[in-house]
């Protein structure tokens, strides 16, 4: 976890030129809730890097509370207690279809500097994820897992394998569609589930590219839907990617619902960012927050 260095170490211009990082999770391949004793089922985007997200529940007061709850459940292992409040900005609002059902997806970004009390360090989060995984393995070994109610399983079943703070470039590289598998572990785990190809979260790649092109926290917040109060904005996709599909999968049978959130907490890393013209920055900002919202 790196804070801003003293001014004597790095001036403001050099600091602003650093590439941003995102807190991103790598998810398990095997779906613990849907798999049986003799049949393994793969998670959507199993073994891939992506952000926490899910459908709105009736108890959620709104999209931001859904974002906080999903972050809490997937990254912080807190299915039972109250989710912490997240200081976040609504970056994009996108109408999508999941299995022919309409949804509105809310994409949030959050600056780590605005959420220091949450202690979003990879070491702390991964320690909790390891404890959750060990508890699950003990339940399976004892046979108790198979007798548990689904709600009880949901509270302890592992979904995220690890989290990391990755530079935007590294996160995009980890999701390269031209690579057959992320690594041998993913290939072997998918094969155990009878799956022999990756399911890549293209929507996550799109958001990462938008953040990378904007380049700074100030530019990201300026391009966000929330900053344009005079219009209802949706995120437009650049031509190099297919239309945005469900990043997180429809986890509700009650459409329309909410898909999200995307927690992207940009923070500086030591990797330098290539300079881009103001014209390019302005063009992406318009693409990220333009157009009329459609129903969903």
């Amino acid at each position: 976890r790196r804070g801003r260095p003293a001014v004597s170490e790095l001036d403001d211009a050099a600091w602003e030129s650093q590439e941003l990082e995102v807190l991103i999770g790598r998810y398990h391949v095997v779906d613990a809730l849907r798999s049986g004793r003799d049949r393994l089922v793969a998670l959507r985007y199993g073994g891939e890097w992506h952000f926490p997200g899910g459908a709105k529940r009736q108890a959620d007061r709104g999209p931001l509370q859904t974002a906080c709850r999903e972050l809490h459940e997937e990254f912080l292992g807190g299915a039972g207690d109250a989710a912490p409040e997240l200081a976040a900005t609504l970056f994009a609002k996108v109408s999508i279809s999941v299995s022919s059902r309409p949804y509105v997806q809310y994409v949030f970004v959050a600056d780590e500097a605005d959420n220091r009390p949450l202690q979003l360090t990879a070491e702390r989060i991964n320690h909790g994820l390891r404890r959750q995984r060990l508890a699950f393995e003990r339940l399976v070994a004892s046979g108790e897992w198979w007798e548990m109610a689904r709600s009880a399983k949901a509270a302890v079943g592992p979904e995220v394998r690890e989290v990391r703070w990755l530079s935007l470039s590294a996160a995009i590289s980890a999701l390269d569609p031209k690579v057959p598998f992320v690594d041998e572990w993913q290939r072997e785990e998918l094969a155990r589930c009878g799956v022999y190809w990756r399911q890549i979260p293209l929507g996550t790649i799109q958001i990462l590219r938008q953040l990378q092109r904007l380049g700074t926290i100030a530019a990201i917040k300026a391009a966000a839907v929330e900053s344009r109060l005079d219009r209802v904005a949706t995120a437009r996709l650049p031509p190099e990617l297919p239309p945005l599909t469900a990043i997180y999968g429809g986890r509700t049978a009650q459409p329309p619902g909410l898909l999200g959130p995307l927690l992207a907490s940009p923070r500086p890393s030591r990797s330098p960012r290539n300079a881009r013209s103001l014209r390019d920055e302005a063009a992406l900002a318009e693409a990220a927050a333009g157009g009329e919202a459609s129903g969903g």
Side-chain angles (χ1 to χ4, degrees), residues 177-188:
K178 295 192 260 332
V179 178
F181 297 98
V182 175
D183 54 23
E184 189 65 12
W185 173 80
Q186 184 194 41
R187 188 193 69 78
E188 291 177 353

Side-chain angles (χ1 to χ4, degrees), residues 12 43 73 127 144 156 160 162 164 176 183 215 249 267 287 291:
D12 289 341
L43 282 167
E73 291 178 358
H127 177 71
E144 185 179 350
V156 296
V160 181
E162 65 170 315
R164 292 184 190 176
D176 186 354
D183 54 23
R267 66 173 190 163

Side-chain angles (χ1 to χ4, degrees), residues 184-254:
E184 189 65 12
W185 173 80
Q186 184 194 41
R187 188 193 69 78
E188 291 177 353
E189 287 292 289
L190 286 172
R192 291 176 62 212
C193 299
V195 179
Y196 301 97
W197 57 86
R198 296 173 65 187
Q199 186 179 17
I200 300 173
L202 297 178
T204 298
I205 299 175
Q206 168 56 34
I207 295 300
L208 289 168
R209 287 181 177 174
Q210 288 184 356
L211 297 176
Q212 185 182 54
R213 290 172 184 175
L214 288 167
T216 67
I217 292 174
I220 290 168
K221 290 183 176 180
V225 170
E226 198 168 305
S227 70
R228 297 172 179 255
L229 301 179
D230 58 334
R231 64 194 298 189
V232 177
T234 60
R236 288 179 181 168
L237 302 182
E240 65 264 23
L241 282 180
L244 182 64
T245 56
I247 296 179
Y248 307 112
R251 299 182 203 165
T252 177
Q254 303 294 331

Side-chain angles (χ1 to χ4, degrees), residues 53-218:
K56 180 181 181 295
R57 295 177 184 171
Q58 288 186 345
D60 293 341
R61 294 188 302 273
L64 183 55
Q65 189 180 33
T66 302
C68 295
R69 178 180 54 75
E70 292 291 344
L71 169 69
H72 190 47
E73 291 178 358
E74 295 187 16
F75 278 17
L76 307 181
D81 49 349
E85 293 294 328
L86 182 70
T89 299
L90 178 59
F91 182 68
K93 179 181 174 184
V94 189
S95 294
I96 63 173
S97 177
V98 180
S99 301
S100 301
R101 295 174 175 174
Y103 290 86
V104 177
Q105 184 179 58
Y106 294 81
V107 181
F108 290 90
V109 294
D111 185 357
E112 184 210 23
D114 298 331
N115 293 278
R116 292 258 165 86
L118 298 184
Q119 299 181 358
L120 297 175
T121 66
E123 295 81 4
R124 175 177 176 269
I125 295 171
N126 286 330
H127 177 71
L129 294 175
R130 282 192 295 271
R131 291 180 59 186
Q132 182 186 38
R133 186 163 60 249
L134 290 173
F136 166 73
E137 291 171 355
R138 285 194 296 268
L139 289 169
V140 172
S142 69
E144 185 179 350
W145 173 260
W146 309 111
E147 307 302 325
M148 294 170 60
R150 184 178 177 85
S151 58
K153 288 181 176 180
V156 296
E159 188 171 0
V160 181
R161 180 176 174 83
E162 65 170 315
V163 304
R164 292 184 190 176
W165 281 100
L166 294 180
S167 69
L168 291 168
S169 295
I172 293 170
S173 177
L175 292 167
D176 186 354
K178 295 192 260 332
V179 178
F181 297 98
V182 175
D183 54 23
E184 189 65 12
W185 173 80
Q186 184 194 41
R187 188 193 69 78
E188 291 177 353
E189 287 292 289
L190 286 172
R192 291 176 62 212
C193 299
V195 179
Y196 301 97
W197 57 86
R198 296 173 65 187
Q199 186 179 17
I200 300 173
L202 297 178
T204 298
I205 299 175
Q206 168 56 34
I207 295 300
L208 289 168
R209 287 181 177 174
Q210 288 184 356
L211 297 176
Q212 185 182 54
R213 290 172 184 175
L214 288 167
T216 67
I217 292 174

